[in-house]
Amino acid sequence: MAKINPIDPDYFKDERAAPGFKVIGTTVPRSDALGHVTGRTEFFEDRTFPNLAHLKIHRSPHHHALIDSVDTSHAEQTPGVLRVLTYKDVPANWYGVLRLIGIGPDDEPVLAEDRVIYKGEPIVAVVADSEAAALEGASRVRVSYTELPAVLDVEEAMSPDAPIIKRAGTNYFVYEGHHSRRIRFGDVEAGFARADHVFDWRYSSAPIEHAPTETTGCIVVPQSNGRLLIHSNTQAAFFTLDNTALIINRAPTDLQVKGGTVGGGFGGKVDVMVEPLACIAATLTNRPVKFVYTREEEMQVSSPRAAERIYIKDGVLSDGRIVARKIMLYVDAGAYARHSPYGATKAAAHLPGPYTIPNVHADCHCVYTNRTPSSAMRGFGVTIADFAIESQMDRIARALDLDPLEFRLRNAYRDGDLKAHRKVASGTALIEVIQRAAELVGHELPEEYRAMSSTTPRGAQA
Amino acid sequence: MTVTIVNLKVNGVDQAFMARPGTTLLLALREQLGLTGAKRGCAQGACGSCTVLLDGAPVVSCLVPATTVDGADIATVEGLADGQQLSDVQQAFLDGFATQCGFCTPGMLMSAEALLARNPDPTADEVNEAISGNVCRCTGYAPIVSAILDAAERRRNRVEATH
């Protein structure tokens, strides 16, 4: 890797000619870069407070188990330990982060009550004078369990004989009475019946950890006016404030979140994982409390991108037109919903890709398993769906000996097309993007494909 | 609990702190000397966010027992600029958009400074090697490598200009 080219300010000079467009194509220094290169940028952990207390968690070693008893006496007697918290100390223990936009049910406890449903689930919080004392105290919590069979596979979780792991009674999120977020458009079975070729393939992805260089954390400082000041690296300050207020049963005006400086987020810092317990601990001890994940916790228990499994069945005519697409998509939410119901909805919104297909059938499931809860990450729901769709397009092109770009152009959506979601496509540009990309890489397209346009109706598609 | 008084030089200034057993150089810098530029990203020597120079050599300060640095000369990101005047490496990072979230930046800068101090004209491979212990999750590294090569060039030009 050699030196990369400097930014070329001439590249966008035509756009700059438009009235009011002064910035595009110029180099504008980042407002935060001077702080970054001098070490003066203040991350949440760069603040020190007198009497700072530290919070650490005792977590489940099991994927799925009943909690028979919890003994915190040894933790309480550990030198330096100030306070030990269980679910009984959490005013409103059950929550769901998306309740702020009306999505329920509240399916996750801040601290586990009678059972744990993933390995690493928090059960007891220990607050101490020092980090070492908090860790020592947490290690001395004794929990006895009755292990239960774990469900670690999305399709297994959906099968009728799977153990139900959720108190709501289903191992999947319920979308307006349905087992999945659905698309029904045309008649896929009729489409497959008249297709010359049918391709049915499976795609899957593993969970992906964001691994930010700065782990998730916060410091909560009780104020003399009774309010709590939360220094946090959350990506979602107001989301955190409102959810924390609901969990600790305080007015939102009692809390102030000071954030905005995030040492890497990528979607991994939008859940509300540390602030509520730190607020409770700060209130009960009347001391500033720091709760920051260790690197091990960040890797093991912070929400990754969901693993997905996607089946795509396509009916294709000999000339390359796709006449039916059926998709069964499974998002592994892990043990709790967090942002995953929204992720599966985004996946559905993205199907069947930027192609006009007359018959579409999709079931996008948000499935619960005894795995680490997954949540937001850069384009979640969409990225893996795209991987599956575009892999499918390439494989079909190869199987039918079609040029992969021509195959896409033949099916590309155009302005005025009715999409499977019953929205009329507008502002489409896939055709032009493919044409331009082909030109840039010297990929010769026949005249018929060079003449295509997003704004020219495709004509009657049979 | 035995407390050791540690005397050292940090960014050219004589300093002292009390070290309890188990205290790391990183925590002493951050919590006792108020120098929070070096970051704690993993506390296990894997991410490089805590990189400082110990007698000129880059170390992961989260793994250095504070009691072992008595008499040492430590350089941190806070000491790189001369007043308002940024070092070549700092300026190259700023100009080359080599920062995003900024968390790895102090450690990257120190690894880069150490490299250029011993090798004023590194190849891209040598830059890669020098920052191989510094994890960045935002940039994809390319602008960082580019900025370090740019800084080397700035330095060489400056040296030539003064001869």
Side-chain angles (χ1 to χ4, degrees):
Chain A
M1 183 168 54
K3 271 181 69 172
I4 55 174
N5 294 327
I7 290 165
D8 177 4
D10 285 340
Y11 195 79
F12 292 105
K13 65 177 186 301
D14 295 342
E15 277 86 346
R16 217 155 51 231
F21 278 25
K22 295 191 174 67
V23 174
I24 188 166
T26 65
T27 52
V28 179
R30 293 178 60 108
S31 59
D32 56 6
L34 184 61
H36 290 349
V37 300
T38 54
R40 291 206 299 264
T41 299
E42 202 176 40
F43 292 87
F44 90 91
E45 208 179 10
D46 294 339
R47 300 171 178 91
T48 50
F49 298 92
N51 281 322
L52 181 67
H54 300 260
L55 187 152
K56 293 289 174 187
I57 299 286
H58 183 89
R59 298 180 180 279
S60 163
H62 302 298
H63 294 293
H64 192 196
L66 293 174
I67 295 175
D68 300 322
S69 65
V70 175
D71 176 5
T72 60
S73 58
H74 301 288
E76 282 154 14
Q77 288 153 18
T78 304
V81 168
L82 302 165
R83 182 88 196 203
V84 174
L85 309 175
T86 68
Y87 71 90
K88 291 171 190 157
D89 297 295
V90 183
N93 194 41
W94 288 84
Y95 77 107
V97 285
L98 289 178
R99 62 182 162 183
L100 299 180
I101 54 170
I103 292 175
D106 294 344
D107 76 329
E108 181 164 2
V110 175
L111 291 174
E113 296 186 359
D114 66 334
R115 66 190 63 221
V116 284
I117 64 172
Y118 73 95
K119 186 177 173 179
E121 182 157 5
I123 304 167
V124 174
V126 176
V127 192
D129 273 330
S130 69
E131 211 171 344
L135 279 170
E136 181 64 27
S139 76
R140 292 190 189 179
V141 172
R142 293 285 171 264
V143 181
S144 53
Y145 302 92
T146 302
E147 274 195 77
L148 297 171
V151 184
L152 301 171
D153 180 272
V154 282
E155 288 180 271
E156 196 186 310
M158 295 293 291
S159 76
D161 54 347
I164 297 301
I165 63 171
K166 300 290 283 186
R167 68 172 189 171
T170 63
N171 287 347
Y172 52 85
F173 181 81
V174 178
Y175 289 95
E176 285 118 34
H178 300 289
H179 65 290
S180 65
R181 181 63 82 193
R182 305 171 314 150
I183 303 170
R184 299 289 185 268
F185 183 63
D187 180 346
V188 278
E189 294 310 327
F192 292 136
R194 60 180 278 249
D196 297 312
H197 308 273
V198 173
F199 301 97
D200 193 354
W201 282 312
R202 172 190 193 266
Y203 303 89
S204 62
S205 68
I208 301 171
E209 166 55 34
H210 317 69
T213 45
E214 177 204 45
T215 60
T216 303
C218 71
I219 301 173
V220 176
V221 187
Q223 305 292 291
S224 53
N225 61 9
R227 298 173 78 195
L228 295 169
L229 175 54
I230 304 169
H231 297 281
S232 170
N233 61 12
T234 177
Q235 288 178 257
F238 293 95
F239 211 68
T240 294
L241 189 152
D242 289 345
N243 268 304
T244 301
L246 288 169
I247 289 167
I248 69 173
N249 197 21
R250 297 271 295 261
T253 47
D254 283 356
L255 308 179
Q256 182 187 0
V257 175
K258 197 167 176 191
T261 304
V262 183
F266 323 114
K269 289 172 179 163
V270 300
D271 297 334
V272 184
M273 305 315 299
V274 290
E275 293 84 359
L277 283 173
C279 283
I280 293 165
T283 304
L284 292 174
T285 61
N286 196 31
R287 287 172 65 157
V289 173
K290 183 198 285 191
F291 179 10
V292 55
Y293 278 180
T294 61
R295 179 54 56 184
E296 291 87 339
E297 287 176 302
E298 193 69 38
M299 298 304 286
Q300 176 68 38
V301 303
S302 77
S303 317
R305 179 194 293 281
E308 293 183 35
R309 186 172 304 159
I310 304 173
Y311 295 88
I312 308 179
K313 181 178 177 182
D314 283 343
V316 187
L317 300 183
S318 289
D319 66 2
R321 276 180 295 159
I322 305 171
V323 289
R325 174 165 281 179
K326 182 177 182 182
I327 298 177
M328 299 296 275
L329 184 148
Y330 302 88
V331 167
D332 187 348
Y336 295 111
R338 299 195 185 165
H339 288 78
S340 289
Y342 172 61
T345 292
K346 279 171 71 187
H350 200 62
L351 301 178
Y355 305 107
T356 293
I357 300 172
N359 303 291
V360 176
H361 176 116
D363 284 356
C364 298
H365 308 80
C366 173
V367 187
Y368 299 116
T369 64
N370 294 115
R371 290 184 180 272
T372 308
S374 62
S375 195
M377 185 184 197
R378 293 184 161 184
F380 65 122
V382 171
T383 319
I384 307 300
D386 262 339
F387 154 73
I389 290 167
E390 297 309 326
S391 299
Q392 178 89 356
M393 296 298 285
D394 281 338
R395 293 172 80 182
I396 293 173
R398 213 173 295 138
L400 296 183
D401 202 22
L402 298 170
D403 178 288
L405 297 188
E406 291 170 26
F407 176 52
R408 285 177 172 82
L409 285 167
R410 180 152 300 285
N411 292 285
Y413 65 168
R414 301 183 186 199
D415 285 2
D417 286 353
L418 182 63
K419 300 171 73 180
H421 312 91
R422 293 168 180 76
K423 303 242 184 208
V424 176
S426 64
T428 61
L430 179 62
I431 289 174
E432 288 72 16
V433 167
I434 293 175
Q435 288 165 337
R436 179 75 179 126
E439 197 181 313
L440 285 171
V441 298
H443 184 101
E444 200 84 11
L445 288 173
E447 173 54 29
E448 179 194 350
Y449 293 91
R450 288 203 307 275
M452 285 179 175
S453 156
S454 290
T455 52
T456 308
R458 71 179 55 243
Q461 176 150 346
Chain B
M1 196 183 277
T2 322
V3 172
T4 311
I5 295 182
V6 176
N7 290 284
L8 74 175
K9 209 181 265 294
V10 182
N11 300 328
V13 178
D14 287 325
Q15 297 274 17
F17 60 84
M18 291 189 294
R20 292 197 171 88
T23 301
T24 62
L25 173 59
L26 175 67
L27 290 183
L29 288 170
R30 289 177 55 84
E31 295 178 358
Q32 298 196 58
L33 301 180
L35 296 169
T36 56
K39 304 299 179 204
R40 177 168 75 167
C42 71
Q44 50 189 238
C47 77
S49 302
C50 65
T51 304
V52 300
L53 305 188
L54 171 62
D55 295 327
V59 293
V60 279
S61 61
C62 73
L63 294 186
V64 177
T67 51
T68 65
V69 298
D70 192 57
D73 192 343
I74 304 293
T76 73
V77 68
E78 288 91 343
L80 290 183
D82 181 7
Q84 301 289 314
Q85 181 65 45
L86 299 181
S87 75
D88 289 319
V89 180
Q90 287 175 308
Q91 192 65 51
F93 269 57
L94 191 74
D95 294 343
F97 294 86
T99 67
Q100 273 189 42
C101 83
F103 198 81
C104 75
T105 307
M108 283 287 182
L109 291 168
M110 299 319 289
S111 291
E113 294 282 355
L115 168 70
L116 299 191
R118 62 181 154 76
N119 179 357
D121 191 9
T123 64
D125 281 348
E126 287 166 336
V127 173
N128 283 333
E129 175 68 27
I131 62 166
S132 61
N134 295 82
V135 174
C136 171
R137 290 287 286 165
C138 303
T139 63
Y141 300 100
I144 293 174
V145 174
S146 184
I148 296 170
L149 292 170
D150 179 35
E153 196 178 319
R154 290 175 195 229
R155 274 194 175 197
R156 291 196 305 275
N157 292 341
R158 189 191 308 281
V159 171
E160 273 168 32
T162 55
H163 278 72

